[in-house]
Amino acid sequence: MSRDRRVQMPGMAEQPAFAPGSMPREYAKRMGWNLAPCNLMVEGTTDERYCKLASRLHEAETGLKLIGDDFHVFAAGRGGDGGTDKIKEELRTFKSILQSEPDPFVFKVACLFDCDQAGKKAFSEMRKKFRPWGELFLLQRIMPRTTRDPGQYEKSWNKQNAKWLKLDCEIEDLLDCELLEYFLFDSPSALRRKQEAEGKHHFDLDGQSKGQLARFFESHSALEQVGEIVELLKVFRWLLKLDPEGV
């Protein structure tokens, strides 16, 4: 039987049925994702911006890219189209496309949810079909880099973050607290509430202010002020079996 048969998905260019990686690449292009062999899907564009900022500052300091040809970070949706529901939708779709590949592991994708009410709910729902702590992760102050075994990872995650599990965790909570407070001094209406526990904090920020905060950090932060996000990227590089220090 000929293997030149062609297939076409709605809204996508016609592709050879067995061209390796063609359908995932086409779908990623349509979604605005910069796809690499290993990938991290995050909830929103501000998460993506902070990760890219951390990678740029790390490269300027060390000459090594944490986000590059081998590893990319992208938001499930752009602007207001992101969030937990968008990750759920796009992970299902993308994994379905990958299953049609001769090698379904040609692209690796891990998904990172905020550790808040919506993120924990989505994580719980998705773990019925996808591997928790293998494909699905919840953001916390410490993301272990000690084991890739999902069961052991969950235990380590809970143990190392036990002091802060009652606090929500979003990517802004990994930013330098002093610089964030400086932003809030000029924009007090951006903060809805602040919680603290055992030396860590959670800033519940107005959604419209998050883009302003990202621009502020892009203009004013140094490497050490996004150091926890640098470590987050290194953790996921390590989990995906890449050099954690970058390329």
Side-chain angles (χ1 to χ4, degrees):
M1 181 182 294
S2 171
R3 293 174 69 87
D4 291 334
R5 179 170 52 89
R6 303 177 77 84
V7 296
Q8 187 172 4
M9 294 186 65
M12 293 170 61
E14 190 178 30
Q15 297 290 331
F18 295 98
S22 60
M23 291 176 65
R25 286 192 186 94
E26 184 69 18
Y27 187 79
K29 182 179 179 181
R30 193 180 83 178
M31 293 299 300
W33 301 341
N34 195 2
L35 200 61
C38 295
N39 304 274
L40 177 63
M41 185 187 295
V42 292
E43 288 191 20
T45 49
T46 52
D47 304 296
E48 180 183 324
R49 287 171 66 178
Y50 285 124
C51 289
K52 290 180 175 178
L53 172 63
S55 180
R56 289 196 302 271
L57 293 173
H58 182 269
E59 182 183 4
E61 181 76 19
T62 68
L64 297 171
K65 295 180 181 180
L66 296 173
I67 298 175
D69 292 341
D70 61 340
F71 175 71
H72 285 158
V73 178
F74 54 79
R78 314 310 297 177
D81 193 35
T84 56
D85 286 342
K86 192 64 174 176
I87 284 191
K88 288 160 58 179
E89 175 189 342
E90 294 304 336
L91 180 60
R92 291 188 183 106
T93 300
F94 193 67
K95 287 289 186 178
S96 176
I97 294 171
L98 285 178
Q99 291 304 312
S100 70
E101 286 291 304
D103 177 7
F105 302 103
V106 63
F107 298 109
K108 297 178 182 177
V109 180
C111 294
L112 181 63
F113 293 101
D114 291 342
C115 194
D116 56 12
Q117 184 176 0
K120 286 184 278 192
K121 182 175 183 289
F123 181 87
S124 179
E125 292 172 355
M126 294 293 282
R127 69 184 298 159
K128 298 169 185 175
K129 186 173 181 181
F130 301 98
R131 289 182 300 127
W133 313 109
E135 295 172 294
L136 310 175
F137 294 84
L138 283 169
L139 178 66
Q140 257 300 349
R141 279 83 186 169
I142 297 176
M143 299 296 288
R145 212 197 308 180
T146 54
T147 178
R148 296 186 182 95
D149 175 82
Q152 294 302 314
Y153 194 94
E154 181 175 18
K155 291 178 182 178
S156 182
W157 184 93
N158 278 298
K159 181 178 180 180
Q160 293 191 49
N161 292 288
K163 295 178 182 179
W164 313 299
L165 288 178
K166 292 183 179 180
L167 289 182
D168 286 352
C169 188
E170 302 174 61
I171 200 163
E172 289 84 4
D173 297 320
L174 305 187
L175 298 171
D176 177 76
C177 187
E178 185 175 348
L179 189 57
L180 201 159
E181 294 273 18
Y182 187 83
F183 168 82
L184 291 173
F185 181 80
D186 285 335
S187 305
S189 62
L191 181 64
R192 291 190 288 217
R193 61 172 179 157
K194 178 182 177 182
Q195 298 173 288
E196 296 181 272
E198 300 290 339
K200 297 293 184 181
H201 56 264
H202 168 60
F203 290 90
D204 184 8
L205 300 169
D206 174 75
Q208 293 185 343
S209 301
K210 289 188 174 185
Q212 297 172 12
L213 178 62
R215 288 192 292 274
F216 178 81
F217 265 79
E218 286 167 341
S219 298
H220 296 93
S221 66
L223 179 62
E224 60 270 18
Q225 290 164 325
V226 291
E228 291 187 30
I229 300 177
V230 167
E231 175 58 21
L232 177 70
L233 294 175
K234 290 182 177 182
V235 166
F236 276 98
R237 289 184 62 88
W238 181 84
L239 286 167
L240 293 166
K241 300 184 179 180
L242 300 173
D243 183 344
E245 298 304 315
V247 292

